[in-house]
């Protein structure tokens, strides 16, 4: 077997996967934001007639995956694997959605980096000859995440200004070994970076060092510069994490004019999201909607998506553990 690994962390694919379709479903707050028109479906409220927020998140993920399959014009039984994940304990949204989809299932957890991780692993399966078509699905829900990680939303607790707002949304892609669409040509798999941040209300600071580490290693491994990309976009650092990451990169000699963040783009400043957005669904819906539109229109020829994740749990936070960060990067080319 020909190992296609370059440098320490990057894989360049000999047989890149093709993004055959994308589909996004979001809640009302996301639909009212500046990217609202780029999403395929906007719910009128966060529960959408379901019996709980958790059930609603599962249904949202199912809708996104069914939408991606329908748009790809591929029969469901032609899909070899479903790769999916979410934020909840034991990734229950993905598990229950996979139960309905009936496709061989590989559950993934990378916190908010799960979309980039799923795209990377799905392309590895296709490039290695283990799959011809892969369905990717990722979700999060503001109310389910608040209940698990912080405080019940009914309490109306005051949020720190460094806190981010978990996106209610689900994004899905169908990847194939051939066909028409953008290609995933390379992936840089991140490593855990932990600088000792313990404040769960400041995840941007926890994730920033890991994202910077992945970006630096990506450019070194690929022998590229920021100018080789039309857009470099992180998963959901938010405004705090984005500024910190840019500071680290500048000290490493990397200067960006084209660096943005999904968590900064999805909400308007008037929506009171504080430091921006977070959640698995953040980069999933921004990529499946806004970024895919820009690639298809020809505005972006090459994009670097760097999914960022804060890999903590309520238990670890209560026990005083620091928050490990991760960053996974994928290259998407028109």
């Amino acid at each position: 077997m020909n190992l296609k690994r370059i440098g320490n962390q990057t894989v360049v694919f000999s047989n890149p996967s093709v993004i055959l379709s994308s589909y996004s479903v979001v809640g009302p707050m996301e639909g009212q934001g500046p990217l609202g028109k780029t999403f395929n479906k906007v719910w009128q409220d966060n529960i959408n007639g379901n019996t709980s927020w958790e059930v609603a998140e599962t249904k949202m993920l199912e809708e996104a995956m069914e939408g991606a399959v329908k748009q790809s014009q591929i029969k469901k039984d032609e899909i070899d694997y479903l790769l999916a994940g979410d934020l909840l304990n034991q990734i229950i949204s993905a598990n229950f959605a996979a139960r309905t989809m009936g496709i061989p299932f590989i559950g993934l957890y990378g916190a908010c980096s799960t979309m980039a991780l799923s795209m990377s692993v799905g392309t590895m399966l296709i490039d290695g000859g283990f799959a011809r078509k892969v369905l990717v699905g990722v979700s999060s829900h503001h109310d389910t995440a608040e209940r698990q990680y912080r405080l019940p939303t009914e309490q109306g607790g005051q949020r720190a200004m460094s806190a981010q707002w978990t996106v209610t949304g689900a994004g899905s892609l169908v990847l194939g070994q051939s066909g028409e669409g953008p290609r995933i040509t390379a992936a840089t798999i991140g490593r855990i970076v932990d600088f000792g941040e313990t404040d769960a209300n400041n995840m941007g600071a926890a994730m920033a060092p890991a994202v910077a580490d992945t970006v630096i290693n990506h450019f070194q491994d690929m022998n590229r510069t920021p100018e080789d990309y039309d857009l470099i976009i992180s998963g959901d650092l938010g405004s705090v994490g984005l500024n910190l990451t840019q500071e680290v990169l500048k000290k490493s000699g990397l200067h960006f004019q084209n660096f943005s963040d999904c968590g900064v783009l999805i909400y308007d400043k008037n929506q009171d999201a504080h430091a921006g957005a977070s959640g698995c669904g953040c980069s999933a819906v921004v990529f499946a909607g806004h970024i895919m539109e820009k690639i298809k229109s020809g505005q972006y020829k090459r994009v670097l998506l760097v999914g960022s994740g804060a890999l903590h749990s309520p238990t670890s936070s209560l026990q005083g553990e620091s928050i490990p960060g991760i960053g996974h990067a994928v290259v998407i080319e028109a």
Side-chain angles (χ1 to χ4, degrees):
M1 179 178 290
N2 179 27
L3 186 63
K4 312 170 194 71
R5 188 163 172 173
I6 297 177
N8 293 322
Q9 296 172 234
T10 303
V11 176
V12 175
F13 300 114
S14 297
N15 302 294
S17 70
V18 180
I19 303 175
L20 300 176
S21 65
S22 64
Y23 201 90
S24 56
V25 183
V26 299
M29 183 169 172
E30 293 70 25
Q32 293 163 8
L35 305 183
K37 293 182 179 180
T38 68
F39 305 126
N40 295 96
K41 188 173 183 180
V42 179
W43 280 9
Q44 296 304 304
D45 58 68
N46 279 0
I47 202 163
N48 201 42
N50 293 287
T51 55
S52 71
W53 292 321
E54 287 74 17
V55 173
E57 182 176 344
T58 297
K59 295 299 181 184
M60 180 173 275
L61 180 55
E62 290 175 11
E63 285 187 12
M65 294 192 295
E66 292 282 4
V69 172
K70 184 176 181 180
Q71 284 202 358
S72 72
Q73 299 183 333
I74 292 171
K75 295 180 180 178
K76 201 181 294 184
D77 58 10
E78 294 180 52
I79 297 173
D80 298 296
Y81 297 106
L82 163 61
L83 307 183
D86 58 271
L87 285 178
L88 300 184
N89 292 336
Q90 289 77 51
I91 55 171
I92 57 171
S93 302
N95 293 343
F96 294 152
R99 177 179 63 185
T100 301
M101 297 298 290
I103 300 169
F105 171 56
I106 300 172
L108 298 173
Y109 184 81
C112 304
S113 69
T114 304
M115 188 61 168
L117 176 62
S118 301
M119 294 165 68
S120 302
V121 175
T123 305
M124 289 176 186
L125 288 170
I126 290 171
D127 184 44
F130 302 105
R132 290 167 295 182
K133 297 178 179 66
V134 173
L135 176 62
V136 170
V138 176
S139 70
S140 61
H141 192 293
H142 174 75
D143 298 306
T144 66
E146 287 300 308
R147 173 145 59 194
Q148 175 174 288
Y149 285 98
R150 283 169 284 275
L151 298 170
T153 54
E154 298 94 333
Q155 285 188 352
Q158 186 170 352
R159 300 167 58 244
M161 291 307 295
S162 60
Q164 294 167 250
W165 188 276
T166 305
V167 163
T168 298
S172 182
L173 310 172
V174 174
L175 309 180
Q177 64 180 175
S178 61
E180 295 295 324
R183 300 171 300 139
I184 299 174
T185 58
T188 301
I189 302 301
R191 54 190 176 187
I192 296 289
V193 180
D194 188 342
F195 277 20
E197 177 63 58
T198 59
D199 185 0
N201 290 306
N202 191 3
M203 293 187 297
M207 295 185 288
V211 170
D213 181 74
T214 296
V215 170
I216 291 167
N217 279 285
H218 175 80
F219 286 121
Q220 288 178 346
D221 291 349
M222 297 289 288
N223 194 27
R224 288 179 179 171
T225 66
E227 289 72 28
D228 291 316
Y229 294 87
D230 298 300
L231 175 69
I232 300 160
I233 188 161
S234 49
D236 54 11
L237 290 170
S239 57
V240 173
L242 180 61
N243 289 335
L244 289 172
T245 301
Q246 288 175 322
E247 287 183 21
V248 174
L249 293 173
K250 284 179 182 178
K251 291 180 179 179
S252 299
L254 290 171
H255 301 277
F256 297 84
Q257 300 296 323
N258 53 349
F259 191 15
S260 188
D261 180 73
C262 297
V264 172
L265 294 179
I266 195 169
Y267 296 133
D268 187 271
K269 291 182 179 179
N270 297 324
Q271 290 183 287
D272 194 28
H274 288 15
S278 65
C280 290
C282 179
S283 61
V285 300
V286 173
F287 180 79
H290 170 69
I291 296 175
M292 281 292 289
E293 277 194 4
K294 297 288 187 182
I295 294 172
K296 288 180 177 179
S297 70
Q299 185 169 341
Y300 296 153
K301 303 290 187 187
R302 181 187 284 160
V303 172
L304 181 66
L305 171 67
V306 190
S308 54
L311 302 178
H312 67 298
S313 75
T315 301
S316 66
S317 292
L318 289 171
Q319 292 179 348
E321 259 288 1
S322 56
I323 302 172
I326 192 74
H328 299 300
V330 285
V331 179
I332 305 98
E333 299 189 40

